[in-house]
Amino acid sequence: MTLKTVLHINVSTAPDRHGSSVRWSPLEAALRRSASLNKAVAAVWLALTWSAVLVLDGTLGPHISLNAVYLAPLCFTVWCLGRIAGLVSGLTVVAVTLYLNGFGDGLSAQASTVSVSTAAWNAGVRVFGVMFIILFVGAFRRTFDQERANAQIDPLTGLGNRRAFKIECSRLELANARDHRILLCGLIDVDDFKSVNDQHGHAAGDEVLRIVADALLSAVRPYDATARLGGDEFAFCLAVRDTASAERKSGKIHDAVMAVLNQTDYRATCSLGAATGLDVADTLRIADQALYRAKDAGKSEWIFQVGGNPGDQ
């Protein structure tokens, strides 16, 4: 297994379905970064951007149109803060720009006086344009969020995949540093999984993987990180108080998975390697070594190892 793949994801690049690196355009990278931006931070930046555009529009006067410039903060408001925030911002800006520039066509010099019907039409067109952008960007954001969620789920087992595991491990690593806890990371490998496929068929192999995934989920807390890394390899990462509780938890997870595997007709077993530490990458590396020692010891075994971070255990 390649732990580096688990732990390294660049926002501006991502692997495609063939494993090749795809580089996003600046706009795509900005959208991806802003999608995960804290809403309070996004609100501050957007408020500053709106203020700058409005001040610039008021300074330039009605003869220079900035209608297109307003699209950027409007789109990012909907993207970062949602449709309601976009609606409030958009309608407010429409009212302000009508006050600043009048009710002319918005492209040439604004007319000083226009008929009521023309003013109503022009105001209505602006409102329609704002509403269309809000609905369009809002629908795009919902689709983006759904696809991003799907991209982090293993479709066979429902567990997180490598990408999701990396994100969740980073969250746990930061939380543990704040709460003065340690990480327990473990890797599970189904023993002789190929023989299950060969003797019972791939449908049976898929069932074994789902059984292992369900048992793993049942053995940990809802907020702990779990994943299927690929093939018959699973991983978990959680916060513990000390190495004694980490060792007990490792044994319980292995026992839970073995218990459900023993209830099947496939005679499948699993090996587990676990370790404690402060750094996810190092802890997973040690757990990986422990897993291979468990398999070398005769399989159906589990090995726990204390990580090398001083002063934490």
Side-chain angles (χ1 to χ4, degrees):
M1 66 188 66
T2 307
L3 296 179
K4 186 180 292 185
T5 306
V6 180
L7 299 171
H8 178 71
I9 296 176
N10 193 315
V11 176
S12 61
T13 62
D16 64 9
R17 61 190 182 93
H18 301 295
S20 302
S21 180
V22 176
R23 181 167 295 278
W24 306 111
S25 69
L27 177 59
E28 290 171 322
L31 289 174
R32 289 176 177 274
R33 289 191 181 95
S34 58
S36 303
L37 194 63
N38 179 275
K39 287 194 173 185
V41 175
V44 171
W45 281 105
L46 287 166
L48 293 174
T49 304
W50 278 118
S51 300
V53 174
L54 287 170
V55 169
L56 180 62
D57 195 9
T59 302
L60 294 177
H63 295 279
I64 299 178
S65 174
L66 293 181
N67 288 346
V69 178
Y70 283 101
L71 294 179
L74 177 59
C75 289
F76 275 99
T77 298
V78 180
W79 182 260
C80 296
L81 304 180
R83 290 179 295 176
I84 300 301
L87 179 63
V88 172
S89 300
L91 294 181
T92 300
V93 167
V94 167
V96 172
T97 54
L98 289 175
Y99 173 78
L100 290 175
N101 300 326
F103 290 83
D105 59 19
L107 297 176
S108 60
Q110 302 285 7
S112 57
T113 59
V114 294
S115 65
V116 174
S117 59
T118 299
W121 171 263
N122 289 341
V125 167
R126 293 187 186 186
V127 172
F128 173 80
V130 167
M131 293 298 296
F132 177 81
I133 291 171
I134 291 172
L135 293 175
F136 183 84
V137 176
F140 181 44
R141 176 59 194 262
R142 289 195 301 275
T143 302
F144 173 84
D145 288 340
Q146 184 62 50
E147 292 299 320
R148 184 170 62 169
N150 291 340
Q152 295 179 1
I153 295 175
D154 173 54
L156 178 62
T157 63
L159 294 180
N161 58 15
R162 289 177 180 269
R163 180 180 294 269
F165 190 64
K166 181 263 179 184
I167 295 172
E168 287 301 304
C169 285
S170 297
R171 174 186 62 81
L172 284 171
E173 191 174 70
L174 292 174
N176 281 10
R178 182 181 64 248
D179 300 335
H180 304 292
R181 292 196 166 204
I182 58 176
L183 291 170
L184 167 62
C185 295
L187 298 168
I188 300 173
D189 187 89
V190 179
D191 300 323
D192 299 321
F193 182 67
K194 185 178 183 300
S195 64
V196 175
N197 283 328
D198 293 341
Q199 296 176 17
H200 303 281
H202 289 283
D206 290 346
E207 183 180 354
V208 168
L209 295 177
R210 285 190 289 266
I211 288 172
V212 172
D214 292 342
L216 176 58
L217 280 177
S218 299
V220 299
R221 298 162 297 193
Y223 49 85
D224 294 330
T226 57
R228 178 190 174 205
L229 300 183
D232 59 339
E233 298 169 342
F234 297 83
F236 60 88
C237 184
L238 51 109
V240 292
R241 295 187 302 272
D242 49 47
T243 55
S245 59
E247 187 171 7
R248 289 194 301 269
K249 188 65 175 179
S250 301
K252 288 180 179 179
I253 292 174
H254 183 261
D255 291 344
V257 177
M258 284 292 295
V260 294
L261 288 176
N262 288 334
Q263 296 174 6
T264 68
D265 299 327
Y266 309 124
R267 298 181 179 178
T269 60
C270 72
S271 299
L272 182 149
T276 54
L278 296 178
D279 179 78
V280 172
D282 288 341
T283 308
L284 280 172
R285 177 181 54 79
I286 298 171
D288 192 30
Q289 296 170 355
L291 172 63
Y292 280 105
R293 289 203 307 274
K295 296 183 76 69
D296 291 340
K299 304 178 182 179
S300 304
E301 302 290 337
W302 67 279
I303 290 181
F304 170 80
Q305 182 173 335
V306 177
N309 296 292
D312 59 322
Q313 295 149 44

